[in-house]
Amino acid sequence: MMINLISDTVTKPTPEMLQAMMAAEVGDDVFGEDPTVRALEEKAAAMFSKQAAVFCPSGTMTNQIAIKVHTRPLDEVICEEGSHVYQYEVGGYAFHSGAGINLIKGQYGKITAEQVAAAVKPLHDWLPESRLVVLENTCNKGGGSYYTVAEMAPIRDLCRERGLALHLDGARIFNALVETGDAPQQVGGLFDSISVCLSKGLGAPVGSLLLGDAEFVRQARRVRKAMGGGMRQAGFLAAAGIYALDHHVERLRDDHRRAKALGAALEVLPMVENIRPIDTNILIFDVKTPHTAASFLSMLADKGIKGSAFGPHTVRLVTHLDFTEAMLTKALEVISALR
Ligand SMILES: *Cc1c(COP(=O)(O)O)cnc(C)c1O
């Protein structure tokens, strides 16, 4: 039994999802003629009470389009230092948008309205203009920590006061929502734009959505095309997304429960320390010298479990749709036997 905990992006479509994909009615989406893509976009927009949505190949593209539409060259994006938009999108904010970045050090990836207020730059000819704030929920590098709607609302208020746009990198927003009990419509009310990944915990093979008001999404469609992200019979992929939204949201709780169970087994290992709070499906912890992330991961790999190094002594494991109860039992046995 191979157990892959490298990321929640490793899932493959379930037989039922494949069935839905094969049954999809499709057309050329560049001409707006794919009914399944349109159905997915309308469904997602309605869920979050936004006017419109656009289906894209990746979450990197949805974030980069959002930055492009919200900013002009010489503007600045404010975000947490571990943010995906800063760490893992190849510096695309500079490449696509000519924007600078203003980093805030948060707590497990979360920032506050006070911190954002302190980061906003005054208007001077010699300074970049603060234009956009990006929040990430859940926070990937923060170990899957989440914001509640109540925690995000003061940042919304501040952005309104200071004339800043607010974008949500909601690659894992549903992992947050099943924990907080907040409704997607409440989240929609806080943000000018929202990016949602279908290919993480929701288990679709490909695809992300970018949501906003009608004019924002009209602009976003043009930028998507300019980035080469206009797709033709994408309804086959959109069908997987619709299936995922209908069937794979509530079960995210199982991933969170399994992550906590792995955490409890790791906690009693003498070689493990500093397990970050396990709020959702991501586990981040350190291993003590003489162990290293590499040596720890190779011990796990010998027993058929894959994880990833997040630093010289830091390991990340991520639970997901294809990490079953039987795999959990096996993983707990393996971890408990580590010496
Ligand atoms: C995975 C992820 C994305 C998007 O990644 P893609 O691989 O480009 O789909 C964006 N933000 C966060 C926080 C992520 O974890």
Side-chain angles (χ1 to χ4, degrees):
M1 191 190 307
M2 233 323 286
I3 300 177
N4 191 344
L5 300 175
I6 283 183
S7 170
D8 46 8
T9 54
V10 302
T11 59
K12 297 181 183 158
T14 62
E16 296 79 11
M17 180 181 277
L18 270 179
Q19 209 68 49
M21 293 171 72
M22 287 191 293
E25 196 187 328
V26 299
D28 189 333
D29 186 54
V30 172
F31 295 116
E33 287 178 355
D34 188 302
T36 310
V37 170
R38 283 161 70 164
L40 171 64
E41 290 171 346
E42 283 164 21
K43 180 184 179 72
M47 269 178 119
F48 286 85
S49 280
K50 300 308 276 184
Q51 289 175 352
V54 57
F55 183 51
C56 294
S58 72
T60 297
M61 190 183 282
T62 50
N63 282 335
Q64 290 300 319
I65 292 173
I67 292 170
K68 180 73 185 163
V69 175
H70 287 304
T71 65
R72 291 177 306 186
L74 308 183
D75 284 349
E76 165 181 278
V77 178
I78 296 173
C79 65
E80 208 272 339
E81 64 181 22
S83 299
H84 198 278
V85 293
Y86 175 61
Q87 296 275 352
Y88 303 120
E89 300 184 10
V90 212
Y93 53 89
F95 182 71
H96 297 297
S97 303
I101 202 133
N102 184 349
L103 300 174
I104 296 175
K105 179 162 184 51
Q107 258 244 319
Y108 297 116
K110 293 168 61 182
I111 57 178
T112 64
E114 290 69 33
Q115 288 182 297
V116 176
V120 178
K121 290 198 165 68
L123 292 175
H124 287 301
D125 286 353
W126 54 89
L127 293 179
E129 211 165 303
S130 303
R131 181 77 62 191
L132 171 69
V133 175
V134 177
L135 298 186
E136 191 171 303
N137 198 12
T138 67
C139 308
N140 178 5
K141 248 191 160 224
S145 58
Y146 56 79
Y147 295 88
T148 62
V149 162
E151 287 171 319
M152 296 186 290
I155 298 177
R156 162 76 284 169
D157 295 341
L158 179 90
C159 288
R160 195 171 286 123
E161 268 165 42
R162 308 295 290 266
L164 304 170
L166 183 58
H167 172 70
L168 175 64
D169 179 354
R172 297 188 181 79
I173 186 61
F174 288 104
N175 292 84
L177 293 177
V178 300
E179 290 297 324
T180 62
D182 292 326
Q185 297 91 302
Q186 292 174 280
V187 176
L190 295 180
F191 291 91
D192 298 300
S193 57
I194 300 177
S195 163
V196 178
C197 282
L198 300 164
S199 59
K200 297 275 166 77
L202 295 183
V206 173
S208 289
L209 290 152
L210 180 60
L211 286 58
D213 68 23
E215 177 55 21
F216 172 87
V217 171
R218 191 182 75 81
Q219 297 290 349
R221 286 184 184 282
R222 292 175 52 75
V223 176
R224 179 185 66 167
K225 190 69 178 118
M227 288 181 175
M231 297 180 285
R232 302 294 176 174
Q233 285 71 35
F236 293 117
L237 297 173
I242 292 172
Y243 185 88
L245 289 173
D246 285 339
H247 297 95
H248 291 167
V249 172
E250 286 304 315
R251 62 150 307 285
L252 291 171
R253 296 172 203 283
D254 296 336
D255 297 343
H256 300 178
R257 174 176 54 77
R258 289 174 188 142
K260 286 190 175 71
L262 291 175
L266 287 163
E267 192 152 28
V268 298
L269 288 186
M271 70 186 79
V272 168
E273 65 183 352
N274 191 18
I275 302 180
R276 317 299 194 268
I278 303 166
D279 293 336
T280 54
N281 67 326
I282 300 175
L283 281 121
I284 299 179
F285 56 91
D286 297 334
V287 291
K288 292 180 203 162
T289 313
H291 297 280
T292 61
S295 69
F296 185 86
L297 287 167
S298 100
M299 285 194 297
L300 283 185
D302 287 344
K303 304 288 179 194
I305 300 175
K306 282 200 221 177
S308 53
F310 237 46
H313 287 270
T314 308
V315 173
R316 188 185 80 158
L317 304 176
V318 187
T319 63
H320 52 74
L321 180 63
D322 288 357
F323 178 60
T324 62
E325 204 63 27
M327 290 179 186
L328 172 66
T329 305
K330 162 85 189 296
L332 293 177
E333 277 170 26
V334 169
I335 290 170
S336 305
L338 288 180
R339 290 292 172 271

